[in-house]
Amino acid sequence: MTQYVDTKIRANLTYLGDIDALERFATGLLAVAERVSTITAMWQSMPLKMQMHRHSTMCPYLPMGAPSVTPSGHKSLPFDAIEGQARTHVEQYAQLAATLQSAAERILRAYSIYSDSEQRARRIVNEMIEFAIERFPIGSSFFLAGASVFIPFIGLVDEGEFTPASYSHELWWFQDGIVSGYGAVLSGVPMSAGLKSLFKKIGSSSGKMPGGIDLSRLFDPKTLDALEWKDVVENLFHTDEANEAAGQFTKLGGSFVDRIQGSDVNVYEIHPRKPLEKPETIADAYRNIELLNGPSTSPGYATICIQRLERPDGKRAWIVTLPDSDGHPDSPCSVNQIVPLMSDSSRQRLDSESMKFAREAMKQAGVKKGDDVVLIGGSQGGLTAASMAGGISSEYDFLHVVTASAPIANHPIPGNTYVTSVEMETDPLTALDGAQNPVRESWLTVQGMNSRTPSPTSTPVEGTGDHLEQPTGMNYQRAAWQNATEAGSPAVEEHERHFQEATQGELVGTYFYQGRIE
């Protein structure tokens, strides 16, 4: 058995014209499909009715309509022929109903109809969860801990088994509210009286954190006392609570970490055994993300790939593919770099070792100010790409950003930069920002959902097994993009067209770089 992926496409398609007319047309198709299904049910009952007539005593000379025993001068109904014709009509009408329903669903999916209303409903529910956690963090924690006991049983009902992936698979609709709520608490929004008392004690202490961090300033009792209900309400209109929390953690621990491992990044060129090919399509870009993080291309440490293109007009352009975390503490792509990359502070994002690594690699490769650049990255590489597009857009002309499994909803990427994101709904990493990606013409988000049960529109995922899994691998992201391209969405086609336009030109150089923190 394998895993399957279905997707929802989130994009702004109002520029195409009257989307409401398409919605009315699709809704009409669904209504006709329902009526055809009713007719199908009527024909399904016909064989049973014929059987009843066949065995009835409406004529004693026609026992069971058997022609061999029918007396002379009597005619029997062709029961077998009627039953056969009824079954044929059942198949035909059922196929027609399925075709109409499929056509309607494909229109709704391809043109992202209903996605906005669904997202609004999801936002309301998650803001309510966030509100409860912000105001009653301790009570909410006990409630969530108690509710988690039932997750294994829900997983057994839904999937027939329980695995650790069941938690994210059952809670994906509420992850944003949970993350935002605790992010808000950690970043200093209104909290319960018990936490206020604890924080006041910390703030009034004379202790100092490494790096000269002043606890009394971070946990000022006067500030804590000033937190009111209105602050909670105002916070509900924001979606960057998790990023604010990341900023606080970076402020608390950044100096301490830098003193231990250093903050300078030594960048050097390497020559891997297997270089990457130029990505001609977005599917190729996702393939390159997977290959870049493999041992043949990134031996030992995370590696950045920079490809130089020569345009037909002589102008040069660049494709920068950024790596995921590599697990080495002295690497600029270590896991702890995720926190500053998610910070709400542009300065903290720019000062992260991952950003220093990427900027120095681009400088060594010869990328000049004002050059056209396409950024590609998965997971932590996607965070780095979003941080670059949102933080140094004045230095380079970032044409297109392609990400996979990256929590980048609150990164300030300019509207003139195309963003193509693939996210698996049950992937915990994509929920770390506690928000949904913006919806605009230049930002397309493909949201995938994995299941062990195929649907008429699902795409199988390579390299998967019998049990429910966390969809963190690039095999899931690639399957989700393939599923989206098969939907016939104008938004997907537009982003594909723009990517191919942004990467046009002859590949004249490919460079690979690794880095160490010193």
Side-chain angles (χ1 to χ4, degrees):
M1 185 182 291
T2 187
Q3 305 288 313
Y4 299 87
V5 168
D6 267 307
T7 56
K8 296 177 183 177
I9 301 167
R10 295 189 63 221
N12 182 0
L13 295 174
T14 54
Y15 66 92
L16 291 176
D18 192 356
I19 297 297
D20 291 337
L22 279 173
E23 180 179 347
R24 291 192 296 271
F25 179 71
T27 304
L29 285 178
L30 289 173
V32 174
E34 186 175 351
R35 289 197 291 271
V36 173
S37 296
T38 303
I39 297 173
T40 304
M42 294 172 59
W43 278 108
Q44 283 177 326
S45 65
M46 185 61 69
L48 179 60
K49 291 179 180 179
M50 290 298 100
Q51 288 290 338
M52 293 173 59
H53 288 308
R54 183 192 288 260
H55 295 283
S56 69
T57 57
M58 63 178 182
C59 179
Y61 296 103
L62 302 177
M64 295 190 302
S68 59
V69 295
T70 300
S72 176
H74 291 263
K75 290 291 185 180
S76 175
L77 291 174
F79 289 107
D80 293 335
I82 293 174
E83 291 176 17
Q85 191 63 41
R87 291 190 178 92
T88 300
H89 285 323
V90 168
E91 294 177 1
Q92 292 173 338
Y93 279 108
Q95 184 177 3
L96 177 59
T99 301
L100 291 170
Q101 183 172 350
S102 176
E105 291 175 348
R106 287 180 180 274
I107 292 173
L108 295 173
R109 179 177 172 222
Y111 288 87
S112 306
I113 299 172
Y114 294 162
S115 64
D116 287 345
S117 58
E118 180 183 342
Q119 292 302 322
R120 282 194 295 269
R122 183 174 176 179
R123 172 79 185 273
I124 291 171
V125 171
N126 279 280
E127 293 293 359
M128 292 171 65
I129 295 172
E130 177 191 336
F131 181 89
I133 294 175
E134 288 177 13
R135 194 60 189 175
F136 311 105
I138 295 178
S140 298
S141 298
F142 279 113
F143 175 80
L144 291 172
S148 67
V149 175
F150 296 96
I151 295 298
F153 301 100
I154 299 174
L156 285 173
V157 172
D158 288 350
E159 297 291 338
E161 65 172 349
F162 169 72
T163 70
S166 297
Y167 282 96
S168 61
H169 201 77
E170 301 299 336
L171 295 174
W172 67 270
W173 219 73
F174 312 105
Q175 287 180 142
D176 289 344
I178 295 172
V179 171
S180 294
Y182 285 108
V185 170
L186 293 172
S187 60
V189 300
M191 56 197 69
S192 67
L195 279 182
K196 278 189 183 182
S197 176
L198 175 62
F199 277 34
K200 283 182 181 180
K201 290 180 181 178
I202 296 175
S204 60
S205 68
S206 58
K208 299 289 183 180
M209 289 284 288
I213 297 173
D214 188 353
L215 291 175
S216 62
R217 178 176 60 82
L218 291 173
F219 304 111
D220 182 7
K222 293 182 179 179
T223 302
L224 295 174
D225 284 332
L227 297 175
E228 301 292 345
W229 278 92
K230 65 180 181 64
D231 300 312
V232 181
V233 175
E234 290 175 359
N235 196 58
L236 294 178
F237 294 95
H238 300 282
T239 61
D240 60 348
E241 295 86 359
N243 301 87
E244 291 176 358
Q248 292 287 357
F249 276 112
T250 303
K251 187 187 299 182
L252 284 169
S255 299
F256 178 69
V257 173
D258 287 346
R259 290 191 177 189
I260 293 178
Q261 67 177 22
S263 59
D264 294 329
V265 179
N266 177 30
V267 179
Y268 50 90
E269 187 175 1
I270 68 165
H271 301 281
R273 297 193 305 272
K274 189 175 181 180
L276 299 184
E277 297 179 1
K278 175 194 171 186
E280 302 288 351
T281 65
I282 294 177
D284 292 343
Y286 288 128
R287 177 206 63 204
N288 278 2
I289 292 175
E290 188 171 31
L291 292 175
L292 181 64
N293 293 314
S296 296
T297 308
S298 296
Y301 279 70
T303 303
I304 292 177
C305 173
I306 301 179
Q307 296 171 302
R308 178 177 173 176
L309 307 177
E310 195 74 34
R311 304 276 203 207
D313 59 2
K315 186 178 179 181
R316 62 185 175 187
W318 306 82
I319 302 173
V320 180
T321 305
L322 300 156
D324 193 4
S325 55
D326 58 11
H328 297 288
D330 61 338
S331 168
C333 295
S334 59
V335 176
N336 63 334
Q337 291 301 311
I338 292 178
V339 178
L341 287 172
M342 283 194 61
S343 171
D344 63 334
S345 166
S346 176
R347 184 71 267 161
Q348 289 177 345
R349 294 194 299 270
L350 291 175
D351 287 342
S352 68
E353 275 69 31
S354 292
M355 283 287 286
K356 293 177 183 177
F357 177 30
R359 297 179 73 177
E360 177 61 25
M362 290 173 65
K363 179 180 178 182
Q364 291 188 22
V367 186
K368 304 297 183 184
K369 185 174 182 178
D371 282 355
D372 291 345
V373 178
V374 171
L375 298 172
I376 301 170
S379 192
Q380 185 170 329
L383 274 170
T384 306
S387 298
M388 294 181 72
I392 55 174
S393 57
S394 60
E395 297 182 21
Y396 308 104
D397 189 3
F398 294 113
L399 302 179
H400 204 125
V401 176
V402 178
T403 70
S405 187
I408 62 173
N410 296 309
H411 282 64
I413 302 176
N416 61 347
T417 298
Y418 271 64
V419 183
T420 306
S421 300
V422 170
E423 298 179 351
M424 295 299 298
E425 293 276 35
T426 57
D427 181 359
L429 181 61
T430 60
L432 287 180
D433 51 10
Q436 298 295 297
N437 288 345
V439 176
R440 65 187 192 216
E441 291 182 20
S442 59
W443 195 318
L444 165 69
T445 302
V446 173
Q447 295 176 317
M449 175 61 72
N450 64 305
S451 174
R452 296 190 304 162
T453 306
S455 74
T457 59
S458 63
T459 299
V461 184
E462 295 180 357
T464 53
D466 296 339
H467 301 288
L468 188 67
E469 302 174 346
Q470 293 282 19
T472 55
M474 279 303 302
N475 54 340
Y476 281 95
Q477 318 296 327
R478 293 177 64 186
W481 179 254
Q482 179 184 340
N483 185 265
T485 58
E486 293 170 353
S489 168
V492 172
E493 294 172 356
E494 167 63 16
H495 275 245
E496 188 69 71
R497 180 203 61 78
H498 185 271
F499 180 84
Q500 294 179 17
E501 181 180 287
T503 56
Q504 67 174 335
E506 181 184 357
L507 179 64
V508 295
T510 301
Y511 315 97
F512 294 88
Y513 298 91
Q514 289 186 347
R516 298 287 191 281
I517 298 176
E518 298 177 346

